[in-house]
Amino acid sequence: MTLHDHNDPSQPPSANTEASIVNKQQPPMSVSVSSPFVSVEDISPSSVASEADSPIMTKSSRLAPPGTSKSTSKPKSKISSAFSHKHEWPNGKRPRGFRTQEGKDAAEKSKNYKTGVSFPHLSARCNSYEGVLKHAVLGAIRSGGISYGLKAMVNMCLGMLKVMKGRSSFVEVFKTSFFSVDPVRFGSFFGAFSFLWKFVNNGLKLYRGKDDRINGAVAGAIAGLAILIESHERRVSFAQQVLIRAGQGVYNAGKHRGVFSFRHGDALLFALACGQVLYAYTMQPESIPPEYLKFMINTARVTPEALALNRARVRGFPVDVNQVVALVKRQRHTPKALAEAAKLTEFTNIIPCAVLHPSYDSCKVNNMERFLQVTKNILPVYATLNLVPLLVLRMKRLLSKVTFNTLRSSVFLAVFVAVYQSQICAHRNLVKNGWMQINNKYFYWLFGVTCSGAAIFVEQESRRAELAMYVLPKAAESLYKILYQKNWVKGVKHWEVMMFSFAMSLIMSFYQQEEQVLSPFVTKMIYHILGKN
């Protein structure tokens, strides 16, 4: 019997004829759809839901006999359960990053294949306290080894820049990178954190019979005590970073729930933080971490002595003209710059451009030279920071994309420096021509906000929040030190340990139950180094 066995062979069969033929030739079956895969299970056509009952219409439902009752329906599929969340979404709109539990499970199964992870996750069954202890020990060994190797590789790549410039030997860089205290402490810290987090979290799960936010929060707070392994300076840095990341997670959680939302908030946050940092760079350099201040001075190529002379004049103190002339002579200078420095008085209105950049008489030429030089100098650093995670964690990422992002980040920093110095030069030219007589310290904060607000849009949008999270802790530390000098705030002993434990309590609670509110950088770092609980 053929499929076209009816009155008019030239015409296609009707739906009823086709359905009857299918029912005669094929056994009852149905399709159960589970995200993201399709599987065949035992469901008869009479149990298929009608179009009105489910947004998903299968072929079986289209071929159902006309006598089938619409009230007869199969249980909701896993995909249709995703639509049950719709009434909970703000304004009926799916939040960014929302995933059902089935989607999370599927993403977890395929994560190793999508990201190209080359490090296996060591684990053990946690159905007993002995299993929990074994799982925590294996996790600590893995996390400690990966973090030690990652830190040593970063130190090695940065040290090779010194070898290329003839400032160090390869043997010395190798010994410092792999056998110094720094990578050992770094690996020990992550190993201890992984052990405490896995042991407490799985122990609470076994004891309470629940796997919820409370377990993650308590385990994260206790594991945060591992920060005591690190030095005081590193503890402060870590505490600042994770506290900002925890705040970002709280903001994203509120945003996904429709509580608040602010477009380009990351760019505004970056601009405000840079305003504080550049104010401190000009007026309160002691409030900035020494290594970061050194980086800023080397990038801008304005000597600390010139910055000190500018601070003295902003605060109304006289300057020594002989000291100014000696400063210009020590640098590569032009005759015009030296002559202009010699004409200054003790109470000159403002330190001129001839002292800030004596190598070039033209401000435009100087700022263009700064743009090109910053791009050239920072390019190897960004290349190292982009390539090391590529080699260690993301083997499948395209090299061309990494190269483009490296160049883009270098141009971002070059634009940042060039725009800031252009504003400084414009201010001095206005004073020189008599159009302005004010040299207020808050101008430097305003210049920092405007230059960073313009430069941040050069970077790719996905990195803007990361840059804001990087600068904000340094701005907060600078503001705290300035307020502490004025006796407006008081110091608290071991505050960095308390802040780190509190922040990790929030972060690990989010990571366990709502990881989409954390930034992709944080979730990837936790997953690749610590793994899933």
Side-chain angles (χ1 to χ4, degrees), residues 383-450:
T384 300
L385 296 178
N386 285 325
L387 285 174
V388 168
L390 171 68
L391 297 175
V392 176
L393 302 177
R394 297 180 61 91
M395 299 297 293
K396 294 185 177 180
R397 191 173 181 181
L398 294 178
L399 184 62
S400 58
K401 186 176 181 180
V402 173
T403 304
F404 175 76
N405 290 339
T406 298
L407 181 60
R408 189 173 183 175
S409 298
S410 302
V411 172
F412 149 74
L413 186 61
V415 170
F416 188 107
V417 175
V419 173
Y420 183 75
Q421 292 197 351
S422 297
Q423 294 178 102
I424 298 295
C425 292
H427 177 216
R428 273 144 180 77
N429 290 329
L430 290 175
V431 173
K432 180 180 179 180
N433 295 326
W435 295 350
M436 180 184 292
Q437 300 298 325
I438 303 174
N439 186 19
N440 192 281
K441 61 182 179 180
Y442 296 111
F443 280 173
Y444 301 98
W445 179 87
L446 180 62
F447 294 159
V449 171
T450 54

Side-chain angles (χ1 to χ4, degrees), residues 50-186:
S50 65
E51 297 180 43
D53 295 331
S54 174
I56 300 175
M57 184 177 179
T58 63
K59 184 177 180 181
S60 300
S61 63
R62 291 196 301 268
L63 300 179
T68 303
S69 174
K70 289 186 178 182
S71 60
T72 305
S73 61
K74 75 177 186 69
K76 288 185 177 180
S77 65
K78 294 182 180 180
I79 279 187
S80 64
S81 66
F83 293 89
S84 64
H85 296 273
K86 190 171 183 178
H87 69 280
E88 303 175 0
W89 297 341
N91 301 324
K93 185 177 180 182
R94 177 181 179 272
R96 182 181 179 184
F98 175 84
R99 286 186 293 179
T100 62
Q101 185 60 45
E102 292 78 13
K104 293 179 183 179
D105 295 340
E108 181 63 31
K109 291 178 181 178
S110 61
K111 187 173 289 186
N112 286 352
Y113 302 97
K114 289 192 299 183
T115 58
V117 178
S118 56
F119 300 103
H121 291 280
L122 306 179
S123 61
R125 292 186 176 274
C126 298
N127 50 7
S128 65
Y129 290 109
E130 292 79 5
V132 169
L133 179 60
K134 182 179 179 181
H135 178 71
V137 171
L138 292 175
I141 294 173
R142 179 186 179 277
S143 301
I146 291 178
S147 54
Y148 166 81
L150 183 62
K151 183 64 175 176
M153 285 187 64
V154 171
N155 291 344
M156 186 70 180
C157 292
L158 296 177
M160 289 303 296
L161 298 177
K162 297 181 180 179
V163 175
M164 295 171 60
K165 295 179 181 179
R167 299 178 182 177
S168 181
S169 64
F170 176 81
V171 176
E172 182 179 354
V173 168
F174 183 83
K175 289 181 178 179
T176 305
S177 301
F178 287 91
F179 301 103
S180 62
V181 178
D182 185 39
V184 174
R185 267 186 170 178
F186 194 78

Side-chain angles (χ1 to χ4, degrees), residues 23 191 295 349 371 471:
N23 290 332
F295 166 76
N349 287 340
F371 176 87
V471 178

